[in-house]
Amino acid sequence: MIAFVGAGPGDVDLITVKGRKLIEEADVIIYAGSLVDSAHLNFAKEGARFFNSATMHLDEVLDVMRIADSRKEKVVRLHTGDPSVYGAIQEQMDALEEMGISYKVVPGVSSFSAAAASIERELTLPGVSQTVILTRKAGRTLVPEKESIPSLATHRASMCIFLSAGQIPSLVEDLLTSYEPTTPIAVVYKASWADEKIIRSTLEHVVEDVKAEGITKHAQILVGDFLKGDYEKSKLYDKHFSTDFRKGVQ
Ligand code: SAH
């Protein structure tokens, strides 16, 4: 059995209880060393074997899984954040399927949630935005044209942009096709890690602010009016509003 486990954004305590238990029981742990803290491995049992997938290609990862599984060993494949977002797990699951090896997926706290927590803002504010767009700029992995940043920006929703800290000037240009220059933007470098950095800026100033901090990778870029102060209070906790669990005060 192979367990794909979301390690969370950085802080080792931001893994699920289920994920931690699987690490404790694993014989083999394959971890994405670039953004998974190796401190997770301190929870493994004596004699567990570790592989850093940052230095391995897909076939090597699959070989480790196949050999361990044939010996009836428990394998944890530890991915950063939540594995369903830019985790490259589909190709691994499909290959395991073909080999007849069973697997399961344990979700994790994605870096976009961790970044929102670090800046203490809610992404879905009533009257401001009820939609969150998770996206990235094209890099070596292309993005379908229908999902280009200028086309997504037309919604002026709350956006969480992954894998794009090295391209902030062109990202800002893309965003300015629809967002106002005064729109707030937060760049959260290594959310929840000890060396986390937060830059709060606006689209018109962020390029120089990010340059001054020297951030070129490992950052979440959060954009939208949800970063401002104005919004309507929620209906859910409005004292006049009835829900399945509570009758509103008349
Ligand atoms: N599956 C991961 C994303 C992997 S892609 C998740 O759910 O978060 C790697 C990108 O995620 C990085 O380029 C960066 O944009 C973002 N990222 C991952 N961990 C981060 C962190 N702790 N702080 C800020 N951004 C992070």
Side-chain angles (χ1 to χ4, degrees):
M1 164 66 81
I2 316 293
F4 291 91
V5 174
D11 179 341
V12 282
D13 287 341
L14 287 178
I15 192 168
T16 61
V17 173
K18 200 168 232 181
R20 173 68 55 77
K21 276 192 185 146
L22 286 163
I23 288 180
E24 286 166 355
E25 292 162 5
D27 301 297
V28 170
I29 300 176
I30 310 168
Y31 67 104
S34 54
L35 266 173
V36 170
D37 193 332
S38 56
H40 281 289
L41 307 177
N42 297 338
F43 295 89
K45 67 183 181 192
E46 192 74 26
R49 297 181 327 274
F50 309 134
F51 297 85
N52 180 355
S53 64
T55 62
M56 299 161 78
H57 56 67
L58 176 61
D59 289 345
E60 289 172 329
V61 169
L62 292 171
D63 274 349
V64 171
M65 291 176 171
R66 185 178 46 75
I67 293 165
D69 189 72
S70 71
R71 296 179 185 153
K72 305 270 176 281
E73 291 177 323
K74 290 181 184 160
V75 179
V76 163
R77 173 66 168 114
L78 202 52
H79 279 271
T80 174
D82 180 75
S84 73
V85 194
Y86 306 115
I89 59 165
Q90 195 64 54
E91 61 198 22
Q92 298 174 65
M93 294 190 289
D94 290 348
L96 292 175
E97 196 91 46
E98 253 173 50
M99 293 190 273
I101 297 175
S102 58
Y103 59 87
K104 63 179 173 185
V105 184
V106 177
V109 176
S110 179
S111 57
F112 83 89
S113 315
S118 292
I119 59 167
E120 296 166 352
R121 295 301 301 174
E122 177 174 346
L123 292 161
T124 52
L125 288 177
V128 177
S129 174
Q130 291 290 288
T131 302
V132 182
I133 296 176
L134 307 183
T135 190
R136 62 169 297 170
K137 260 189 85 74
R140 277 188 298 177
T141 303
L142 299 178
V143 171
E145 182 50 37
K146 63 184 169 48
E147 297 169 10
S148 69
I149 303 278
S151 80
L152 298 177
T154 59
H155 298 284
R156 296 180 46 172
S158 303
M159 282 175 90
C160 303
I161 305 166
F162 292 69
L163 294 159
S164 306
Q167 308 181 63
I168 301 239
S170 65
L171 172 68
V172 167
E173 227 172 84
D174 287 351
L175 292 166
L176 284 172
T177 55
S178 288
Y179 290 90
E180 299 298 327
T182 52
T183 303
I185 177 167
V187 178
V188 185
Y189 169 77
K190 292 187 82 177
S192 88
W193 289 73
D195 52 347
E196 170 184 289
K197 272 189 207 166
I198 299 175
I199 296 175
R200 294 168 206 267
S201 188
T202 53
L203 285 179
E204 54 194 343
H205 296 303
V206 70
V207 172
E208 55 211 82
D209 293 347
V210 167
K211 203 166 167 200
E213 287 289 343
I215 295 171
T216 55
K217 57 181 177 175
H218 299 336
Q220 267 292 334
I221 303 166
L222 309 181
V223 188
D225 286 335
F226 77 94
L227 291 161
K228 282 188 188 155
D230 305 338
Y231 61 95
E232 292 164 13
K233 289 234 174 92
S234 75
K235 296 273 188 277
L236 186 59
Y237 295 108
D238 181 336
K239 72 175 171 192
H240 302 296
F241 196 71
S242 296
T243 72
D244 286 348
F245 301 99
R246 180 170 65 78
K247 191 159 166 29
V249 176
Q250 295 309 312

